[in-house]
Amino acid sequence: MGLKGDSGMNAPTPILMDIDQHAALPFPQSLPEFQRLFPDDAACAEYLEKLRWGDGFVCPYCDATGEPFRIATRPGVLTCRKCRRQTGLTVGTVMERSHTPLSTWFWASYLVASQTPGMSAVQFQRQLGIARYETAFQILHKLRAGMVRPDQDRIGGRANEHVEVDEGWVGGRTRGEGRGIHHKVLVACAVEVRHRKPGTAQDKRKDGRYAGRVRLAVTVDRSAKSLCGFVEGAVAPGTLIVTDDWSGYTGLRMRGYEHHAIAECGDPEVTEEFLPIIHLVFANLKTWLIGIHHGVSAQHLQAYLNEFTFRFNRRFYPFNAFRSLLGIAGEVRAPTYAELYSGDWAHPTCSGCMG
Ligand SMILES: [Zn+2]
């Protein structure tokens, strides 16, 4: 993610992260490389097969191992040598039951994961020549479901590092509804604050501090239950948490966190001094939602928060992120078109923190 005020530094040593998973598989770092790696649907199918069965195909029906039969005209289907049953490559992934060619899914993953601001459904539809806007919209939303690791851990928990937590109103779509009508949604945010090594180029204003990983979740209100609940789902216990002096955060100590509340946070200079990183994240998030997506509906905001988080946390490794996205997307279920529109689909959040 192009975090303003965050440039000119070397990529820090990655921690945990999925960027090294499937390390044997290459990932494209340019459009020509993409074309070389994925010239057609068959090449995409081969890649997807390696992502899903790194140690060789295992039949989901009879557990038989060994090379499956392949049908040249249907690259997405593997046939077990023993029981002869067919397994779809995309079954159990966000691509399941899609009529869209695998190569289009791969383009989408590449563009969403590696391009600094991602892309809107309109841009995506245009770039790939997709006939219907709804198809482009749905592909991007399915990929967003693949942007939250099912086993996502909590941030923080490291010595010499604290986490800033704050909540803020993030604007929804306002066009065409007249003046004064808005659908702002309350969003809670937690971000790791790291320190540059002494001797490296430093931004004096931020005193060498920069953002580590972030967690973002829609929250129903500013109550202690909601905000402390968010922290419990998103941040490892024992972490030093810095917030403003809002009463919703006073229970953090009782819940096993170190807590430092900054008084008089209405003062912009105080904010800049003590909570600089989280305000940078909120500013970037708002700019992105307006600039790329022209605002999003409250119903789907969490999905966009997930996309922002996915790219932000991998912003030093945008190309690995393509492989990560396909890897995660191969393990999770995505909303159907009907679920997306009916509101029956709950966009995943960090560790179920919002209940
Ligand atoms: Zn079998």
Side-chain angles (χ1 to χ4, degrees):
M1 170 83 8
L3 182 66
K4 287 198 183 69
D6 198 30
S7 57
M9 53 186 283
N10 297 323
T13 315
I15 41 164
L16 77 114
M17 297 294 285
D18 42 61
I19 56 160
D20 291 325
Q21 281 177 2
H22 313 290
L25 285 179
F27 49 84
Q29 304 201 43
S30 66
L31 292 180
E33 261 184 53
F34 183 95
Q35 282 187 306
R36 242 191 334 272
L37 278 169
F38 307 114
D40 50 31
D41 286 338
C44 297
E46 198 182 317
Y47 192 87
L48 198 56
E49 186 186 332
K50 283 182 189 148
L51 264 180
R52 298 198 65 190
W53 293 285
D55 301 322
F57 176 73
V58 181
C59 173
Y61 299 104
C62 72
D63 286 333
T65 55
E67 276 295 286
F69 292 120
R70 289 157 216 278
I71 312 163
T73 51
R74 297 175 67 199
V77 176
L78 304 174
T79 307
C80 175
R81 274 179 197 273
K82 200 171 160 205
C83 73
R84 305 276 159 155
R85 270 186 277 200
Q86 296 186 330
T87 301
L89 265 179
T90 61
V91 173
T93 77
V94 300
M95 296 163 264
E96 185 173 354
R97 275 175 300 173
S98 165
H99 299 296
T100 303
L102 273 183
S103 51
T104 304
W105 281 101
F106 272 56
W107 272 120
S109 304
Y110 180 77
L111 294 171
V112 163
S114 65
Q115 283 208 330
T116 302
M119 66 196 323
S120 69
V122 172
Q123 292 169 314
F124 176 56
Q125 182 196 5
R126 230 178 261 155
Q127 291 277 323
L128 292 187
I130 296 169
R132 297 174 64 233
Y133 170 81
E134 286 74 16
T135 307
F137 177 83
Q138 199 188 2
I139 288 174
L140 292 180
H141 260 303
K142 282 173 182 273
L143 284 176
R144 286 183 191 112
M147 290 182 184
V148 181
R149 282 154 48 99
D151 57 345
Q152 190 180 55
D153 62 336
R154 289 184 280 186
I155 64 170
R158 302 208 300 175
N160 310 319
E161 202 176 280
H162 66 273
V163 168
E164 292 179 0
V165 174
D166 201 2
E167 80 290 337
W169 295 96
V170 173
R173 201 187 286 275
T174 57
R175 285 183 303 180
E177 291 180 85
R179 292 178 55 171
I181 298 175
H182 63 79
H183 306 279
K184 286 195 184 297
V185 179
L186 195 61
V187 169
C189 177
V191 58
E192 294 171 340
V193 178
R194 299 188 179 156
H195 294 265
R196 252 155 251 189
K197 288 195 193 81
T200 49
Q202 299 213 342
D203 179 340
K204 283 215 174 63
R205 214 163 41 105
K206 286 192 285 298
D207 203 20
R209 289 172 286 195
Y210 70 96
R213 292 173 300 170
V214 69
R215 293 280 186 263
L216 286 159
V218 170
T219 178
V220 289
D221 55 33
R222 299 176 75 215
S223 69
K225 183 168 174 280
S226 295
L227 295 176
C228 290
F230 164 73
V231 172
E232 284 186 307
V235 186
T239 304
L240 170 60
I241 292 180
V242 180
T243 66
D244 60 23
D245 52 3
W246 170 244
S247 60
Y249 295 111
T250 45
L252 284 175
R253 244 170 227 288
M254 274 168 49
R255 296 175 188 235
Y257 297 92
E258 297 286 312
H259 181 215
H260 184 48
I262 310 293
E264 292 174 64
C265 253
D267 181 342
E269 273 186 36
V270 175
T271 300
E272 181 66 30
E273 173 75 17
F274 292 100
L275 292 165
I277 305 299
I278 203 154
H279 286 87
L280 204 61
V281 173
F282 267 115
N284 276 270
L285 172 66
K286 289 174 186 176
T287 304
W288 176 68
L289 286 172
I290 299 292
I292 301 295
H293 299 290
H294 308 294
V296 302
S297 68
Q299 188 193 345
H300 296 307
L301 180 60
Q302 184 64 51
Y304 292 89
L305 299 181
N306 294 343
E307 180 184 342
F308 182 89
T309 301
F310 177 87
R311 242 193 331 267
F312 186 94
N313 290 351
R314 294 161 183 78
R315 66 196 187 280
F316 302 117
Y317 319 95
F319 299 109
N320 306 48
F322 162 77
R323 191 177 56 194
S324 305
L325 176 54
L326 284 176
I328 301 168
E331 293 169 7
V332 299
R333 206 179 77 78
T336 62
Y337 195 67
E339 284 172 331
L340 262 183
Y341 280 97
S342 66
D344 289 345
W345 172 261
H347 297 293
T349 64
C350 37
S351 310
C353 49
M354 287 293 93

